[in-house]
Structure formats: C-alpha cells, structure tokens
Amino acid sequence: MTGMNENPLALLPELFLLGGAVAGLLLGSWSPRRRQGLVRWLATATAVGGLVATASARQGETVFGGAYAVDTATTAARAIVLVSVLLALWLSADAVAGHRRETEFAVLVQLGGLGAVVMAGANDLLLLFAAFLLAGVPFYAVVGWAGDARATEAAMKYYLSGAFSGVAMVTGVALVYGAGRATAYPALREGLATAPAALAAVGLVAVLAGLAFKAGAVPAQFWVPDVTDGTPAPVAAVVTTIPKVGALVGAYRLLDVAVPADVVAWPVLLAVLAAASMSLGNLAAFFQTSVQRLLAYSTISQVGYLLMAVAVAGRAPEALPGLLFYLAGYAVTNLGAFAVVAALPRARTLDDMRGLARRAPAPAGALVVCLLGLIGTPPTAVFLGKLTLFTAAVDGGMAWLAVVAIVNTVASVFYYLRWIAPAFRAGAGDGAEQPVARRATVVAVLAAAVSVLLGIGGGAVLPLVIGGLVS
C-alpha cells in the first residue's frame, strides 16, 4: 500500500457529525430533563459546522489508503445528509421536547447520518459494510424510540430485516473478495476482469441486496410500509430519507468503479429493479388511506426513479449529476411531506385531512407543494431531477426504462391527488380545534420553499454536482 493519505482534516464533515453525537451524549448525561433541548441546539451547531467544512473541503482525492473517496459524490452526499439531519432534528422538536430520551434521539440521528455519509464515500468493500452497520444500528433504536407497542413491533421488523440483509451483504462481500482477490475498488476491478463470472455475479447480487434494504428498493422493500406506519412521523421521515442517500451513492460508486459491466450484467439487473420498485410502489399506494403508509409506498417508487441513474452508471454523463440532484430534491421534499404529518399529530388518514386548507393553511400549502414535488411537477426540484434521469436513461441506451418511468409518473398523480383533494373540501373537521405543531409546520414550509428554490435555481446548482468519481 503506497501513497497513504491519513489526513484527518479530509474527514472534517464526518468528524463534525461524530463529535456532535459524542458531545451531545455527554451534555445530555449531565443536564436535567428540562434542559435536554440543549443537545438539539448542539447538534444543529455541529451540522452547520459540517456544512461549512463540506463547502470548503478539497475534492478529487482518496484518503486512508484509498479506502475513502473525497469527490463530488461524497461532497454532495455530505451536504444532503447534513441538511436532512438538520430538518429531521427540528421537525421532531415538538414531539421529542421534554421526552426522557430526547438526547438519545438527537445522538442516534447524527450517528445514523454519519453511517450514510461513509457509505457514500466508501471505496472499499469492508468500509462499505462497516458503514452499512453504522447506518443501521442507530436507526433500529430510533424506530423503537417511542417505546409503545407499535414502535416496538416496527423496530423488531426493521432490526430483523436489517440482520438478514446484513448477513446477505457480508456473504456477498466474501464471495466478491473470493472472486476478485481484493476489497479496494480499483484492485477489485482488475481482479474481477478475469474472475469466474458466476461467483462474481452471486456475490454482487448479495451485496446489492444489503444496499437495496438501506434504500428501501425491491426486493428488500418489505419493511418500509410497516416501519413507516408503525413509528411517529419524525422517525419515519428519518429512516425513509437519510439511509437512502448513502445506499444509492454507495451503489453507484461500487458498480461504476469496481465491477466491470462485461463480467456481470449489472445494468440490466439494476434496470429491472428500478422498474419493479417504481411500479410496485405506485400501484401499492393507489388505495392507501393511511397517510404514512401512502408516503411509505411513495418512497419505494421514488427509489425506482433514482435507480435509473445507477443502471446507467458510467454510460451517460447525466447519470451522476442527475442522481445527486434528484437525491437533494427528494430528501427535502420527502422530509417536508413528513413534516406536515408531524405538524398534524391527530391526522392519520386521508379523511382526517378534510378541510385542512381552511383550518391550517400553512401546513396545507406546504403539503400541496411537497406532494406536487414528489409527482415531479415544475418548478420543483424533483421535476428537474426526473428530467435529468430520463435523459440519462435514454443516453445510456435504456429508453424503455425512461418510458416505464414516465408511465409511472403519470399514474402516481392519482394517489397524490387523493391526498390533496380532501384538504380543499369542506368536512367534519372544519372549525374543530386540532393541534398544529408549530416547529414542524415551520420545517414543512421551509422544506417546500427549498424544493421550489432548488427547482428554479437548478441551472446554477446542477453544475456544482458535475464531476467524476475518484478511485
């Protein structure tokens, strides 16, 4: 191993997340319960510090023996995860304030976010698996954070699903190592070029099974509806957003840098998974009446669109910038939709949304923007992200996948409108006193505004995420 760069400053954004979690745990341990909110403010400060460090970080290098890449993809993942952590901390503020485990919530979200960032930058199979665990264990605890029967059941399902996926992934890592005789991506690519194709293919499928679990994609999506519907909205927002960022960027890097497409036909496999995810998610969402369950299937369908970029990784110049921009737009918009749900703790079904525009115009406005954003209507960020990915799919020789995605987008209008329409209808809830969480509402409105601003300013933002992967 030569040319090892062990400069810890290259990992400054990651160190901000880790330092914020450790310092928050210590601060919470020595603070009375009524002052636990200080931990949230500390986490906010360290996340902002991490964003500043991300903006000033040097790019285009690998560190720690080439195990970790600091490039455009890692930088974008850092920024998306840090902003997501900030939004998650504050959309949950009304629900967790004064709770006896308020400190633990903030600490676990930061540690899970750290795992997602490391997954995105991992340039070695062993580091990728370690990041998989770091992005999993804290979130298993977060899902069970509420401590009631529904949350406990959801946590058990999430944990068991994660355990099976972890076993599959570590088995895949062993098989890929056996085939390629290396774990570092550049050396692995050379080794796999002459490896037995069947062994490499089985190992790769097992590794992708673990990443599909983190992303909530077919065929490892089975946990998403039950976990999302069984936990409080702020927790559901976290587990359906932050791990996805790391898993999808990590999968893109693994396939583009380490696995030759002429040895294992992964583009076809990823295209099939993309089509299956978007179709299953949209069809299953059609007749849902629970708002959180509807959003759960929405997240599965969104992963399908995002996997289009992974399917054409390295074969279309728009693939990586499209993936990163779409992830940014999706994260903000999805968190905004969940923030609306968190702002209305008694509204669990579509019928509960009747008359929302009259009794709570701010959450209603944010809801309309976020749901239209998830459809992909202009001028929201997801619209530009989808447009870029459709172009990438065509340029990458998968025009059929773009057609499937367009059909799915049109079909998704139905169930998103099923949620928007009751908000503008008169109903039994008109005039009734229903609590509206103030801070979650502010986050929802802010997220909706950012979604629109990203869409309008896409011409300026997209060039920032153009750049190749280093290895």
Side-chain angles (χ1 to χ4, degrees), residues 274-276 278-279 282 305 308 390 399-409:
M278 64 180 79
S279 301
N282 283 328
Y305 302 120
M308 293 169 61
F390 292 167
W400 66 270
L401 186 57
V403 172
V404 172
I406 292 170
V407 171
N408 269 280
T409 299

Side-chain angles (χ1 to χ4, degrees), residues 115 215 254 347:
L254 169 67

